[in-house]
Amino acid sequence: MIPPPRHASAPLSPLRRDTVPVGSYNASDFMPATSPTAATSSSDDVAWVGRGGRAGAASSSFPGGGFDMPAASSVPASGLTTVSVVNLPPGLSEKAGVAAELQNDRTTHSKPLKEKTTKAERRALQEAQRAAKAAAKAEGGKAPPASSGAVSSANAKSAKAAKPSSQKNDNVTVAASEKKGSDRPPEKDRKKDVPQPRMQYDDKSRVEKAKKRAVVKQTEARNRVELFRHLPQYEHGTQLPDLESKFFQLDPMHPAVYKVGLQYLSGDLCGGNARCIAMLLAFQEVIKDYSTPPEKTLVRDLTAKIGSYVSFLIECRPLSISMGNAIRFLKNRIAKLPLTFSESEAKATLHSDIDRFINEKIILADKVIVKHAVTKIRDGDVLLTYGSSSAVEMILLHAHELGKQFRVVVVDSRPKLEGKLLLRRLVGKGISCTYTHMNAVSYIMHEVTRVFLGASSVLSNGTVYSRVGTACVAMVAHAFHVPVLVCCEAYKFHERVQLDSICSNELGDPDAISKVGGRGEINFLDGCANSENLQLLNLIYDATPSDYVSMIITDYGMGKQGSIADKYEYIMYGKLYKIQEEGSGADIKAELLISFGGLLMSLKGNPDYIAEFQLDQKYFLCMRKLV
Amino acid sequence: MPDVQALVNDFLNKLKKRKIEGSQATSRQTAELLRSVISQQRVPYNNQAGALIDAVKAVGEQLIAANPVELAVGNIVRRVLHIIREEDLSLTTAAMAGLNLSAVSDDEDDEERDDLPVLSAAVVAAAARSTLRPPSLQTLLEDMPDTAAIPHTSSSGGDSEGKSKSADKSSRSRKLKHDVIEAVNELIQDITTCHEQIAEQAVEHIHQNEVILTLGSSRTVLEFLCAAKEKKRSFRVFVAEGAPRYQGHLLAKELVARGLQTTLITDSAVFAMISRVNMVIVGAHAVMANGGVIAPVGLNMVALAAQKHAVPFVVLAGSHKLCPLYPHNPEVLLNELRSPSELLDFGEFSDCLDFRSVTGSPLLHVVNPTFDYVPPKLVSLFITDTGGHNPSYMYRLIADYYSADDLVVKRRTTSGN
C-alpha cells in the first residue's frame, strides 16, 4: 500500500500545521473562497452571468442578498441609456460566445429603441458619461466609498482607461467595439473588484480640497504621531458645537442623517452593527422623504444624495468596513432599479430592500451565529471575551438560557472600557464573571478554555480587523494553546487585505489617553499635554493575523472547522522516526517509517516526493473507505 | 540587641504592609538592616562565622516570610550569607598561609598590601574558593592573574585579604565582623549605583533613530534611556501605559521632560505598534535562575508580540534582582493580587456585587495581578550592572553571587521552623 506520496501529504499537511483542540481551521484557506465572491456578487450586479456554475453556487450561498437572477438578466433596454449602461457591458462575460448569447437574449427581450442604437453610439455615450464622472471626481477629489465610485476610479486607475477618452473614441469602429465589448469587460470586472484607495491624509492637496467641502469643521490635532500622518486626527469636542450652530443652515442634510452623524461624532453610537443599522435606518428615512427633483432621474439623483450623506457621515467618523459594504449594497440596489418603476414603487422597493438587509444580514445572521457558536460551549467552560461584542454577548446569553454551566472572563482595556458595560449586563443575567484588564490576560489565560472575539471586519487574507487589543488577546491565547473563535457576520467581510494595523486604522481622541477615567489620582500628564515631544496615540482597531484564529463563525457556517476529521473514518497520530533508502541508481526508493503509537507504517516511494517529510515530524494518518 | 529587634520588627511591618516600593529600595533597606544585625551580633570565641550566619538567617527567614513575593529580600539575605562565608574562608586561608609563612606584622601594616605573604594568601584564598565554588566565567578569569602572581583581588570581599595577616584569634574575630560589614557596605553601594552602571551601557545598545517600546515605568529604564539621550542619540520611545497603575504616564512625563520624543499608547495597542519598533526595553521585578523574568504585569504579552515580530526583548535588571531560585508555577506562586478597586469602582458596581449564584459564591470576581512571568525563551538579553548576558547564562552569574549552601540550607531551616 504505497499511495503516491504527494497525495498522502496533501491532506495531512493542514492537520499537521495546527493542533488546536477545536480543529485545524486555517483562516487563510477559507477566506479567499468566500469573501471575494461575496464582494463581487455585491459590487457588480451581473458578474455571475458569465461565470457559470461556480459563481452561481457562490451567489446562491448568499441567500436573499438581493442578487436575484431575474432582476439582473432582464435589465430593460431603456436602462441602457443611463447608468446601467456603464454597468452592463462589463458584466457581459468573459467569453465572446456567452456575450453573443446574451446579446441575442437581450434583443429578444428589449424594445425596438435598443436596436436602433448601435454599439458605437452606446460606446460613445458611455465614454462621455465616464468622462463626466472623471471630471466630477477630479473636482470633488473625495474618496467615494461605494460602487458608483468604483467605476470611475477603476477608470482612472487602469492603465488602459488612462488614455484620454477622445483618443479612444477616434479609433472606435463597430468592429473594434465588438472586439472590445468581448474582451475588455473581464478586465474591468477585475478592476472593479480592486477596492477603492482610501483617502490618505498626508496628501496635502487632497486634504485641502476635502476641507473646503467639509460640513463639519474639524481642527487638526496637534502633536500627531509621525507613523499615522495618513490618518485623520482631529481634536475632539470642537466639532459638536460648531455643527449644532449650523443646524439650520445645513439645508441639504436630512435630519435623520444629521442625527446619526451627531451620534457618531459624540461616540454615543458605537459597535459595528449598531452603527450600520442606524445608518441604514436613516437612509430609509431619507428615501421615504425623497422626491425626485424635476429634470432629474431618481436613480442618479438619489445616488448622489446618498453619496453626499455618506461623506457627511465620514466626516463625523470614518466608516467601518461593514458600513461601507452596506452603502455599496444600497447604491447597488438604487442603480438596479428598473426605470419603469414609478417613484413610489422605487421608494417602496428600496425601503423593503433596506429592511431586508438589516433583517437578513445583521439580525438573522447574528441568530445563526449564536446557534452555531453555542454548540462550541460545553459545561464547565471558561470563556474569555475582550471588550464588548454584540455577537459574543448574544452567544453568552443564549448559552446561559440553555442552562449551560460556564464562567466568563471579561478582559477590558482603556480608553473605552466597554467591558464594564458587558460585565454589568452579564452579571445582571446571573452569569458568573471574572473581570480583568488587558495586561493580566496572560495570567488569566491559564484557566480559560475558549476565547470568543467579535470583529469589525474579516479581510480576505484572513486578517481579523477588530477593536484594538483583540490581536493581543488572540496572540496570548495562541501562545497558551487556547482556541480562538471569532464571531463575524458575513456582511462584514471585505476583499481588502492588510498585514499590519498601521496602514489603515482609525485614530480616536488622544485626550482620552492622558485622562484615566474614574482615577483622579492619575494625572501625571496634566501639565505636559502641550509639550511637542509628547504624542498621544489612541488607536481604535488592530489587525489580528489569521494564524492566531482557530475558527471564524459566520452566518454561513463555522470556517472549515472539523472538516478534515469529518471526512475520515479513522485518524491516527504518529511520528516519523526513520527515513531510509533502498536500492540504487535509477530504481532507488525511499522508505519512510512512521510509528503510530507502536503501530508502524512503512511508505516506499520515489525519493523526489518525500522532500517535505522530515525526521521527528508528527503526522496524522486519515483513513476512509472509498467504496 | 533590643534595638535591632525593634528595627527588624519595623522593617517586617513595612514589608508586610507592602510599604516599600520597588526592589531596589527593598534590597537596600534589607542590606542596611542586616548590616546592623551583624554589627550588633555578639560573636563567640570560635566559629564566629557560624554565629553570624545563624543570626542573619534567623532575621532573613522572618524577612522572607514577611513578603515572599519580594524576591529581592531573599536575594540580599543570601548575598550577605555568601559574603560571610567568603570572608570567613579568606580569613581562614589567610591565617593558614600566615602561619606557614611567618606573619610579617600586626594590623598596623594594612598599607603594605603588596607584601609577598599577602600575595600568597590571596592565591591560597582564590585557590580555595575556586575549588569550593562551581566554575564560572568570573572564577576562571580571576584564577589566571592569581597564578601569574599579580596582586589581584576578587570583587566580593577581596579587599579584606590584605588585612588578614594576623593569626591572632581575638583580632581575627573583630576582623571577620569588620570585613563582613565592609563587604555589606560595598553591596549597598552596588545596589545604589546599579542604575548608573546599567545606564552606562545604553549607548552600546541604542543607535540613532531607534524606536523603543517599553511598558509601565521603571527607574532603570528611565535612566537607561536618558543616558543614551545624553550621549546625543536621538530616538523615539513608545510607552505603553501599563494598566492598572498607569505608571507609563509617569515615565512618559519624565521622558518628555528630558526632551525625548515620546508616544504614549494604550496597552492594547502594543501588538499593533510593535511591528514598527526596533527594540523593547523593560525593567524587571526579579530574574530567576533559569533566565525567566518576574516582571510587571503585561510584559508577557509584550514579549510574545516582540517574538512574533522578531523584535529584541531586552530586560534591565540590577544584580540584586538576580534570584537563585528556579521558578515553579511562577504566575501563581510568585504573584500578588492587588485591590480590585484599581479596575472597578466599588461604588459603581456595588449593586452587581450583591448578585449571588445558587452556590452562594459571588458572581463577580476581579483579578488584578501584579506580576507576569516571562519565560527565558522570550528574552533576548539581560543587561545587568555587570554587563549584558544571555538568559541561559543566568545560572552561572548566580554561582558568582550566591553560595550553593544557602539555597539548600535556607530551605531546610525554613521548612524546619
Side-chain angles (χ1 to χ4, degrees):
Chain A
M1 50 147 263
I2 304 167
R6 274 276 164 228
H7 212 223
S9 73
L12 290 180
S13 55
L15 262 178
R16 195 170 18 131
R17 217 181 296 162
D18 190 358
T19 49
V20 177
V22 171
S24 61
Y25 161 58
N26 186 335
S28 57
D29 293 343
F30 164 59
M31 295 313 308
T34 45
S35 73
T37 34
T40 32
S41 38
S42 66
S43 65
D44 35 297
D45 26 343
V46 279
W48 54 269
V49 175
R51 296 247 177 120
R54 213 191 112 249
S59 72
S60 72
S61 73
F62 285 77
F67 320 119
D68 36 337
M69 288 198 184
S73 62
S74 65
V75 174
S78 53
L80 293 174
T81 54
T82 66
V83 172
S84 47
V85 164
V86 183
N87 276 340
L88 198 61
L92 279 182
S93 92
E94 294 162 37
K95 289 175 198 112
V98 185
E101 201 180 289
L102 200 80
Q103 183 68 39
N104 293 340
D105 207 32
R106 242 194 296 158
T107 30
T108 51
H109 282 259
S110 54
K111 296 171 187 170
L113 164 76
K114 198 236 123 207
E115 277 156 356
K116 280 178 199 154
T117 56
T118 65
K119 285 206 165 169
E121 279 167 344
R122 287 210 313 275
R123 171 144 295 276
L125 190 70
Q126 198 180 323
E127 293 294 346
Q129 276 171 350
R130 218 181 270 151
K133 270 200 177 175
K137 191 185 167 238
E139 208 175 72
K142 60 165 184 172
S147 65
S148 78
V151 177
S152 56
S153 82
N155 184 15
K157 269 192 333 184
S158 80
K160 208 169 184 176
K163 287 188 243 164
S165 56
S166 61
Q167 189 193 336
K168 244 184 221 164
N169 268 343
D170 290 344
N171 48 23
V172 158
T173 62
V174 178
S177 85
E178 188 73 68
K179 186 177 161 268
K180 275 193 173 173
S182 59
D183 92 30
R184 267 200 53 186
E187 191 194 334
K188 252 190 109 187
D189 248 11
R190 256 184 291 126
K191 287 273 154 58
K192 273 213 278 181
D193 286 352
V194 176
Q196 180 76 22
R198 270 151 306 156
M199 172 90 165
Q200 300 294 314
Y201 283 77
D202 46 354
D203 183 348
K204 283 222 176 77
S205 59
R206 293 192 64 193
V207 171
E208 283 306 313
K209 276 179 193 155
K211 259 192 190 162
K212 273 181 211 150
R213 280 180 300 105
V215 181
V216 191
K217 285 282 169 281
Q218 316 223 40
T219 7
E220 297 250 324
R222 312 134 295 157
N223 290 344
R224 293 167 60 185
V225 181
E226 197 60 44
L227 268 175
F228 291 94
R229 291 263 170 208
H230 60 286
L231 298 176
Q233 168 130 46
Y234 300 117
E235 244 173 80
H236 206 67
T238 54
Q239 316 99 320
L240 213 53
D242 184 51
L243 257 188
E244 273 163 2
S245 65
K246 269 199 201 158
F247 181 75
F248 294 105
Q249 304 158 25
L250 288 174
D251 189 30
M253 204 56 63
H254 191 278
V257 178
Y258 192 77
K259 182 178 142 200
V260 172
L262 285 184
Q263 280 174 328
Y264 288 171
L265 197 57
S266 60
D268 290 346
L269 205 60
C270 56
N273 286 345
R275 277 169 73 197
C276 193
I277 291 177
M279 181 190 71
L280 285 174
L281 290 178
F283 284 158
Q284 217 171 26
E285 288 289 306
V286 168
I287 289 166
K288 207 172 84 186
D289 298 345
Y290 175 80
S291 63
T292 321
E295 322 257 313
K296 283 189 179 166
T297 53
L298 178 137
V299 172
R300 306 198 63 181
D301 188 56
L302 189 58
T303 311
K305 230 180 166 97
I306 298 272
S308 75
Y309 292 155
V310 167
S311 53
F312 167 73
L313 292 179
I314 292 177
E315 283 165 30
C316 294
R317 187 180 162 186
L319 292 186
S320 69
I321 289 171
S322 56
M323 289 161 73
N325 282 345
I327 292 167
R328 196 149 65 170
F329 159 81
L330 180 62
K331 290 203 170 175
N332 202 9
R333 298 303 299 169
I334 296 174
K336 272 169 45 189
L337 279 177
L339 280 199
T340 49
F341 272 22
S342 70
E343 194 181 301
S344 59
E345 268 177 318
K347 278 161 70 175
T349 318
L350 289 177
H351 194 276
S352 64
D353 277 344
I354 292 177
D355 267 345
R356 219 175 57 209
F357 186 89
I358 295 176
N359 276 325
E360 285 176 3
K361 294 283 177 186
I362 304 176
I363 296 173
L364 271 177
D366 276 336
K367 284 191 179 145
V368 176
I369 288 176
V370 166
K371 211 177 80 195
H372 284 308
V374 157
T375 61
K376 293 289 155 208
I377 300 179
R378 296 171 300 198
D379 279 349
D381 262 350
V382 179
L383 312 172
L384 184 142
T385 182
Y386 172 69
S388 169
S389 153
S390 56
V392 172
E393 186 180 345
M394 278 189 264
I395 293 166
L396 298 177
L397 292 180
H398 185 63
H400 184 66
E401 278 164 20
L402 292 181
K404 301 209 178 187
Q405 296 297 316
F406 61 91
R407 204 152 59 80
V408 178
V409 177
V410 179
V411 177
D412 207 352
S413 146
R414 283 229 318 134
K416 288 221 165 180
L417 293 176
E418 292 162 309
K420 272 188 191 173
L421 305 172
L422 176 71
L423 178 74
R424 180 174 278 277
R425 293 192 290 261
L426 292 181
V427 171
K429 286 277 191 311
I431 300 174
S432 169
C433 289
T434 304
Y435 180 78
T436 190
H437 57 87
M438 187 71 220
N439 281 335
V441 67
S442 35
Y443 173 87
I444 204 81
M445 199 56 84
H446 291 275
E447 49 193 77
V448 172
T449 56
R450 294 258 188 294
V451 175
F452 279 93
L453 296 172
S456 166
S457 176
V458 176
L459 309 181
S460 66
N461 59 344
T463 302
V464 174
Y465 186 69
S466 187
R467 166 75 60 217
V468 66
T470 306
C472 291
V473 174
M475 172 187 69
V476 174
H478 182 77
F480 283 82
H481 305 293
V482 178
V484 177
L485 295 91
V486 173
C487 309
C488 183
E489 299 85 354
Y491 87 101
K492 290 178 175 174
F493 282 42
H494 199 273
E495 73 267 45
R496 214 170 73 196
V497 290
Q498 205 175 319
L499 286 173
D500 58 27
S501 321
I502 292 172
C503 291
S504 131
N505 210 318
E506 190 184 326
L507 298 179
D509 174 23
D511 291 337
I513 300 285
S514 59
K515 292 188 187 66
V516 181
R519 301 276 302 277
E521 73 272 19
I522 294 160
N523 50 4
F524 310 120
L525 289 174
D526 275 0
C528 46
N530 283 317
S531 165
E532 61 177 23
N533 282 329
L534 178 70
Q535 291 126 11
L536 303 168
L537 177 63
N538 185 1
L539 279 185
I540 303 282
Y541 296 107
D542 68 8
T544 310
S546 60
D547 38 347
Y548 291 155
V549 179
S550 319
M551 193 201 297
I552 296 183
I553 304 178
T554 72
D555 27 339
Y556 296 122
M558 299 187 279
K560 272 184 182 168
Q561 184 266 331
S563 62
I564 291 178
D566 288 349
K567 277 187 215 150
Y568 296 90
E569 273 126 43
Y570 192 80
I571 295 185
M572 293 194 292
Y573 178 64
K575 185 171 166 184
L576 177 60
Y577 69 95
K578 197 171 185 184
I579 300 178
Q580 58 191 26
E581 286 184 356
E582 256 178 29
S584 60
D587 44 70
I588 189 166
K589 287 245 154 101
E591 187 178 14
L592 300 172
L593 293 166
I594 304 179
S595 164
F596 294 94
L599 183 62
L600 302 185
M601 178 174 81
S602 137
L603 282 174
K604 277 186 209 162
N606 188 340
D608 295 344
Y609 291 132
I610 68 153
E612 281 179 29
F613 289 86
Q614 278 162 23
L615 265 190
D616 289 339
Q617 272 180 333
K618 302 284 174 72
Y619 288 95
F620 285 94
L621 178 68
C622 309
M623 284 191 269
R624 170 171 57 186
K625 257 198 293 192
L626 285 175
V627 197
Chain B
M1 228 25 202
D3 55 330
V4 173
Q5 198 51 48
L7 276 177
V8 170
N9 285 339
D10 188 37
F11 191 61
L12 281 177
N13 261 332
K14 277 194 199 160
L15 279 179
K16 277 183 189 155
K17 291 179 181 163
R18 311 293 193 254
K19 289 273 188 204
I20 307 168
E21 281 270 326
S23 44
Q24 201 215 8
T26 319
S27 47
R28 205 188 58 239
Q29 293 184 31
T30 312
E32 282 164 1
L33 180 76
L34 290 178
R35 186 179 57 187
S36 53
V37 167
I38 291 167
S39 63
Q40 299 280 327
Q41 179 67 32
R42 213 185 291 271
V43 277
Y45 183 68
N46 49 13
N47 193 18
Q48 317 102 332
L52 281 184
I53 286 174
D54 283 344
V56 169
K57 261 186 192 167
V59 175
E61 228 171 90
Q62 297 176 44
L63 296 184
I64 292 171
N67 187 353
V69 174
E70 185 51 271
L71 294 163
V73 175
N75 297 346
I76 294 303
V77 170
R78 292 188 186 95
R79 285 282 285 275
V80 170
L81 288 173
H82 180 62
I83 286 170
I84 298 171
R85 286 177 203 278
E86 285 271 293
E87 294 299 335
D88 185 41
L89 186 69
S90 63
L91 269 187
T92 340
T93 46
M96 271 153 36
L99 283 174
N100 294 342
L101 290 157
S102 69
V104 182
S105 68
D106 271 299
D107 293 357
E108 295 87 56
D109 287 312
D110 276 355
E111 317 81 51
E112 301 172 33
R113 290 187 183 192
D114 295 342
D115 276 352
L116 191 68
V118 181
L119 258 186
S120 56
V123 171
V124 174
R129 220 181 7 253
S130 57
T131 51
L132 289 171
R133 206 197 260 170
S136 78
L137 196 60
Q138 196 189 336
T139 47
L140 283 178
L141 289 176
E142 76 184 16
D143 279 352
M144 301 270 277
D146 276 350
T147 47
I150 296 166
H152 170 85
T153 52
S154 76
S155 63
S156 56
D159 285 341
S160 59
E161 280 153 9
K163 305 172 201 158
S164 55
K165 281 166 283 181
S166 170
D168 179 19
K169 289 275 179 189
S170 63
S171 76
R172 230 190 95 195
S173 70
R174 269 195 291 119
K175 194 108 213 90
L176 176 70
K177 222 158 99 172
H178 177 249
D179 290 350
V180 167
I181 288 171
E182 280 286 290
V184 172
N185 278 335
E186 240 171 69
L187 175 65
I188 294 171
Q189 189 65 30
D190 277 355
I191 293 168
T192 35
T193 59
C194 76
H195 292 313
E196 293 146 39
Q197 281 171 341
I198 293 173
E200 268 171 26
Q201 305 165 52
V203 269
E204 292 171 28
H205 296 281
I206 296 177
H207 64 72
Q208 194 73 16
N209 289 335
E210 184 127 337
V211 182
I212 292 167
L213 183 135
T214 184
L215 182 138
S217 178
S218 151
R219 206 183 132 206
T220 327
V221 172
L222 174 68
E223 300 211 348
F224 192 80
L225 296 177
C226 290
K229 171 74 184 169
E230 276 160 25
K231 298 268 164 56
K232 303 281 178 255
R233 291 282 148 85
S234 84
F235 52 95
R236 41 181 63 244
V237 186
F238 285 108
V239 181
E241 54 188 9
R245 300 182 65 202
Y246 305 107
Q247 296 265 304
H249 291 226
L250 204 61
L251 181 70
K253 187 184 179 177
E254 294 276 341
L255 291 175
V256 167
R258 314 242 182 142
L260 270 164
Q261 281 287 321
T262 311
T263 306
L264 186 67
I265 60 173
T266 53
D267 303 318
S268 44
V270 163
F271 188 88
M273 296 311 300
I274 202 135
S275 58
R276 299 298 183 272
V277 165
N278 301 127
M279 180 153 60
V280 178
I281 299 182
V282 295
H285 172 68
V287 179
M288 307 307 287
N290 65 347
V293 185
I294 309 287
V297 70
L299 281 183
N300 188 43
M301 177 185 83
V302 177
L304 283 169
Q307 188 198 38
K308 161 82 180 173
H309 291 93
V311 177
F313 186 83
V314 178
V315 177
L316 308 181
S319 55
H320 60 274
K321 294 187 177 173
L322 202 59
C323 178
L325 302 175
Y326 284 84
H328 168 67
N329 204 357
E331 294 89 346
V332 180
L333 295 183
L334 290 175
N335 215 332
E336 202 167 35
L337 294 176
R338 297 174 65 89
S339 156
S341 66
E342 289 182 334
L343 295 185
L344 283 185
D345 196 22
F346 285 136
E348 191 186 337
F349 266 77
S350 53
D351 52 333
C352 288
L353 294 170
D354 292 339
F355 289 116
R356 281 178 179 273
S357 63
V358 196
T359 51
S361 62
L363 279 177
L364 178 58
H365 291 266
V366 177
V367 178
N368 184 12
T370 318
F371 303 119
D372 240 357
Y373 174 68
V374 182
K377 63 172 185 189
L378 297 181
V379 180
S380 316
L381 186 71
F382 284 103
I383 299 180
T384 70
D385 35 4
T386 57
H389 303 288
N390 205 46
S392 57
Y393 182 73
M394 278 300 134
Y395 80 101
R396 287 226 152 180
L397 216 54
I398 279 160
D400 287 339
Y401 288 122
Y402 302 99
S403 116
D405 297 342
D406 296 328
L407 312 181
V408 185
V409 170
K410 192 76 236 152
R411 276 205 162 161
R412 203 189 298 153
T413 48
T414 318
S415 58
N417 288 356

